[in-house]
Amino acid sequence: MSSRIRNLVISVPTQELADSLAPLPEGVEVIVWAMDAAAPRDRFDMVVPPYMSMGRVFEHLDGIEVGLIQSQSIGYDGVTGLMPPGVRFANASSVHETSTAELAVGLAIAAQRLLPQFVLAQAEGRWAPAFAESLADRRVLVIGYGGVGKAVRARLEPFEVEITAVASSARVEDGVHVHGVDELPELLPHAEIVILTLPGGEATRHIVDDAFLSALPDGALVVNVGRGSLVDTHALVAHLQRGRIRAALDVTEPEPLPEDHPLWSLPGALIVPHVGGASSAMKSRIARLVRTQMERLIASEAPLNVVIGESSGMDRRPAHE
C-alpha cells in the first residue's frame, strides 16, 4: 500500500504573520494559534510562539507532539527549564540584530546629547540650550561580539569613535582584534561608553558589578541592550546616586521595572521598556526566517539557529500516514 506524505503543520501566533508567509509551499498548512488556549492540533512540525512570551505559553504544549519551536527572540536563557522534553528550539538570529543595534546607538546618542533633558524642556515650553558630550571621538567598549555586537560596531564606525570589541575569548575575526573578558580590568579605565550586547545566563550574570563600575572613569555611560541580568542593579543605582556613572538601559533587572524603582528617577538614567527588537524591520525578517525554516523542513534539511535539543525531537522530515 502506498504512503502519503502528511502536510507540514505549522502554527504562528497572528494572522498577520500567517498572511506574510503566502504563498505557501506545497504541502504546508499554517494554523493561527496565539497559544493562549488549548492547542487546536495534537501535533505540529513547527510552533512559533508569540513574541516575548516564553514564560507563559509553554504549558499549552503539554501532551502535544512538536518538532521545532521557532522563537521570535534571539535570547533563550531560562528556556530549557520551560520546554517540553525532546523538542528542538531555534532562536531568531538574523531577525533583531539590526534593530537592537539601532537602539543601542540611539540610546548612546540620546544620553550623550541630552535628548531626555530637551524633551522635558519641550513639555514645559522652555528654551533650554546646553553644551553636551559628543559621540564622536569617544572611546567605546562593545562587550559581546555576536550578531548584535557586530551590528553595533558597524553602525558606530561612521560616528568617528574608537571602538574596542570584547568577547568571551580573545581572537581576530574578520580583521577585528577582539579582546577577551579577562582583559576588562585593563580596558575599563579607558572606556567612556560601554555597550553591553551579551546574552543572559549564569556565565554573564552581574558581569557589571561594583568593581566593573568602579573601574570606569567618572561620567562614563553604560548602555545595556543585552539582558538585565548582566548588571547588578544595586551597584548601578549606587553609582548613579553619586553621579559617578550614567546609564541607558533597554533591559533591566527586575523586568518590568516596578513603578517605584529608583532607576526611573535617578539623574543620568535613561530607561526604555525592552524594545530593542520591536521595530517594523522585525515583521519581514521573522517571516523570512519562518519561511526558510519550513522550506528546510520540507527538504529534510536541518533547521537554522537550533540552540537546544539539536539531536532530539521528531525526525526532520514530515511524518508519513
Side-chain angles (χ1 to χ4, degrees):
M1 183 171 111
S2 64
S3 61
R4 178 169 59 88
I5 300 293
R6 184 166 68 182
N7 283 354
L8 197 74
V9 181
I10 296 170
S11 82
V12 297
T14 65
Q15 187 63 51
E16 182 180 18
L17 179 53
D19 292 342
S20 68
L21 299 173
L24 294 173
E26 184 178 357
V28 175
E29 180 183 4
V30 172
I31 296 170
V32 177
W33 177 36
M35 300 186 73
D36 55 359
R41 297 288 180 90
D42 60 8
R43 181 194 188 280
F44 293 100
D45 293 275
M46 178 166 63
V47 169
V48 182
Y51 184 47
M52 302 283 284
S53 67
M54 290 303 175
R56 64 179 186 272
V57 300
F58 280 171
E59 62 184 52
H60 294 296
L61 294 177
D62 288 346
I64 307 300
E65 189 181 7
V66 178
L68 174 71
I69 296 174
Q70 174 57 64
S71 172
Q72 296 193 66
S73 299
I74 297 177
Y76 55 95
D77 46 296
V79 168
T80 303
L82 301 173
M83 282 181 47
V87 177
R88 291 174 297 173
F89 179 93
N91 75 348
S93 290
S94 77
V95 173
H96 299 293
E97 287 86 344
T98 55
S99 288
T100 303
E102 284 178 354
L103 185 65
V105 175
L107 287 171
I109 293 173
Q112 291 293 97
R113 298 307 303 268
L114 305 178
L115 296 191
Q117 177 177 316
F118 296 139
V119 169
L120 291 174
Q122 178 182 346
E124 298 170 1
R126 289 188 296 110
W127 187 262
F131 190 88
E133 295 289 336
S134 66
L135 180 56
D137 302 330
R138 301 283 71 80
R139 297 184 297 273
V140 182
L141 204 60
V142 178
I143 304 181
Y145 202 61
V148 175
K150 292 171 185 174
V152 168
R153 179 188 176 87
R155 282 152 184 78
L156 280 174
E157 285 179 338
F159 287 92
E160 302 177 24
V161 298
E162 180 185 321
I163 307 170
T164 301
V166 178
S168 57
S169 58
R171 60 183 181 269
V172 175
E173 187 171 340
D174 298 326
V176 175
H177 178 203
V178 182
H179 297 260
V181 291
D182 58 316
E183 300 176 65
L184 281 175
E186 292 77 41
L187 297 172
L188 290 172
H190 307 285
E192 296 168 288
I193 300 173
V194 175
I195 299 180
L196 302 164
T197 71
L198 292 164
E202 285 306 311
T204 59
R205 180 171 176 76
H206 291 183
I207 187 173
V208 179
D209 56 10
D210 180 69
F212 182 111
L213 295 169
S214 296
L216 291 171
D218 289 348
L221 171 67
V222 175
V223 178
N224 189 5
V225 294
R227 283 292 182 265
S229 60
L230 303 178
V231 178
D232 180 339
T233 302
H234 294 296
L236 179 62
V237 165
H239 281 261
L240 286 166
Q241 287 173 333
R242 299 199 305 271
R244 263 265 307 139
I245 296 296
R246 297 171 297 134
L249 310 174
D250 178 44
V251 288
T252 61
E253 185 184 59
E255 190 174 300
L257 198 63
E259 64 180 23
D260 60 348
H261 199 281
L263 275 177
W264 287 119
S265 57
L266 282 172
L270 170 59
I271 312 294
V272 297
H274 201 155
V275 291
S279 79
S280 56
M282 174 186 172
K283 296 179 180 180
S284 60
R285 291 167 189 250
I286 191 63
R288 188 183 311 146
L289 176 58
V290 171
R291 172 171 279 276
T292 297
Q293 298 290 51
M294 69 171 65
E295 290 172 347
R296 293 180 73 89
L297 291 171
I298 290 170
S300 301
E301 297 176 356
L304 302 175
N305 303 341
V306 174
V307 293
I308 299 173
E310 292 177 277
S311 60
S312 61
M314 295 188 296
D315 189 83
R316 293 187 178 111
R317 294 167 292 179
H320 288 67
E321 290 184 331

